Amino acid sequence: MEFPFDINQLFSERISVMDQTLIAGRKSAGRPDLQAHIATVIDELGRASAKAQQLTAPITSASKLQSQRHQLYLLKDGESSGGRGVVVGFLKVGYKKLFLLDRQGVHIEAEPLCVLDFYIAENLQRNGYGLELFDFMLQHKNLEPVLMAYDRPSPKLLSFLAKHYCLTQSVPQVNNFVVFEGFFLNRTVVQLRKVPPKKPDGEIKPYSLMEREAVRQEQRSLPWPFAPSHSPQRSVYSQYSHSLSVGSSPTRAPPRVAPPSSPGGNRDQSPRSPLVDRCRARRTSSLNRSQLGFH
């Protein structure tokens, strides 16, 4: 694919590895103009790949790459187009947490490296570019292709994997990913974890249905302070609850109105014990005797 700008200025290496930063080398670091050209290349490649796979929308774009932790391997031919270079194709990979089925039908939780998008320009296919790009990724990741998962592989990709890596026997899955024989062998416990079977629901006891209906009725009704006086829940609460708000308990007797106190009288209207009354009477008697001259 040709572009109206210098590809060699954007991508210094024959195969460039990019992530969410959209930096393809030292030249593009800190250069918004170059990164804008890189985004244009990625968007154009994504549209071409979607068209080749007959997809309704691209699954690769610069904005998606910036928002996801994926890696994109881009291959160029730097000598073409009068030394300006052309883009040959790209390969996008990323780790995905998947629930897979092995040959015995056991559910396995795994997080393998997945091939998410793979495209070589139509006019440059069958020249070994795809194998060169794929082998570079395997060496960069230090991984075997049988240990990878493939997201909705096209017939061309399946034929490519069978021809170059002898991957022909796939293990059927319920999702859009494809894995091959050998995927579940020689993998660490961290990479594979059996999902425990779901416990069957216990038998519902007859009385539990009544309890659930009672809970539903209670949730639909208003709480005690706002319920009508004739409602069942208010009568129940009035028998057993002890309100924490002052004066709001239904079992509390109405407060008695205290008689007005006389001038100079006692302001403390709380009840007194007989011992307190006797002490006060003794002090009053002593005071009267002293005023009358009795000692």
Side-chain angles (χ1 to χ4, degrees):
M1 299 180 64
E2 295 185 2
F3 292 88
F5 39 78
D6 192 348
I7 294 298
N8 290 323
Q9 186 181 11
L10 300 179
F11 310 103
S12 57
E13 303 293 335
R14 179 173 175 83
I15 299 180
S16 300
V17 184
M18 290 175 289
D19 54 15
Q20 63 267 22
T21 61
L22 299 186
I23 296 177
R26 295 180 180 179
K27 291 183 179 180
S28 60
R31 292 284 303 273
D33 55 335
L34 297 184
Q35 289 190 338
H37 289 329
I38 292 175
T40 300
V41 171
I42 296 175
D43 290 342
E44 192 65 28
L45 287 171
R47 284 190 288 266
S49 177
K51 182 180 179 181
Q53 299 179 64
Q54 298 181 352
L55 301 177
T56 57
I59 57 178
T60 298
S61 65
S63 60
K64 290 182 179 179
L65 188 63
Q66 287 177 308
S67 62
Q68 299 167 339
R69 293 188 176 183
H70 297 159
Q71 285 186 317
L72 188 144
Y73 296 82
L74 187 142
L75 173 62
K76 73 166 186 177
D77 181 1
E79 298 179 358
S80 300
S81 186
R84 294 168 58 91
V86 297
V87 176
V88 175
F90 76 99
L91 171 62
K92 187 175 72 171
V93 299
Y95 290 94
K96 292 280 188 178
K97 183 174 290 186
L98 305 176
F99 291 92
L100 303 171
L101 292 172
D102 63 8
R103 276 297 185 189
Q104 288 70 38
V106 178
H107 283 84
I108 303 293
E109 181 182 355
E111 192 171 2
L113 184 68
C114 304
V115 173
L116 305 174
D117 204 356
F118 189 22
Y119 173 74
I120 301 296
E122 283 81 357
N123 61 328
L124 298 175
Q125 293 180 6
R126 300 185 181 277
N127 289 289
Y129 290 122
L131 183 60
E132 178 186 358
L133 185 57
F134 206 93
D135 279 344
F136 181 91
M137 180 273 299
L138 293 176
Q139 294 178 9
H140 184 258
K141 293 295 187 181
N142 190 24
L143 197 63
E144 294 293 331
V146 70
L147 299 180
M148 301 179 64
Y150 301 85
D151 186 12
R152 306 180 199 180
S154 64
K156 283 187 176 181
L157 178 54
L158 292 175
S159 177
F160 172 86
L161 296 173
K163 177 181 178 180
H164 297 290
Y165 303 105
C166 300
L167 298 179
T168 57
Q169 299 296 323
S170 62
V171 181
Q173 303 296 324
V174 296
N175 51 25
N176 296 319
F177 286 83
V178 171
V179 294
F180 294 91
E181 287 280 5
F183 176 85
F184 300 99
L185 301 177
N186 301 324
R187 300 182 71 94
T188 62
V189 180
V190 177
Q191 292 173 314
L192 291 180
R193 184 172 65 88
K194 291 186 178 181
V195 179
K198 184 180 179 182
K199 296 182 179 180
D201 295 333
E203 182 181 359
I204 300 178
K205 298 180 181 180
Y207 64 83
S208 64
L209 295 176
M210 299 177 60
E211 291 179 350
R212 292 181 182 181
E213 184 62 26
V215 172
R216 293 192 188 99
Q217 293 293 339
E218 183 178 349
Q219 290 176 347
R220 283 198 294 265
S221 60
L222 292 173
W224 165 76
F226 307 100
S229 58
H230 60 274
S231 62
Q233 67 269 22
R234 180 157 185 168
S235 62
V236 171
Y237 274 104
S238 63
Q239 294 176 12
Y240 300 106
S241 65
H242 298 278
S243 174
L244 296 179
S245 58
V246 178
S248 62
S249 173
T251 58
R252 186 187 301 273
R256 293 179 298 177
V257 180
S261 58
S262 58
N266 183 17
R267 296 183 180 181
D268 187 4
Q269 300 298 329
S270 61
R272 297 191 302 269
S273 66
L275 179 61
V276 175
D277 292 337
R278 286 197 299 269
C279 292
R280 290 186 177 180
R282 189 179 299 115
R283 286 200 304 271
T284 303
S285 176
S286 300
L287 180 61
N288 293 333
R289 289 172 60 87
S290 61
Q291 290 176 352
L292 294 175
F294 296 101
H295 299 284

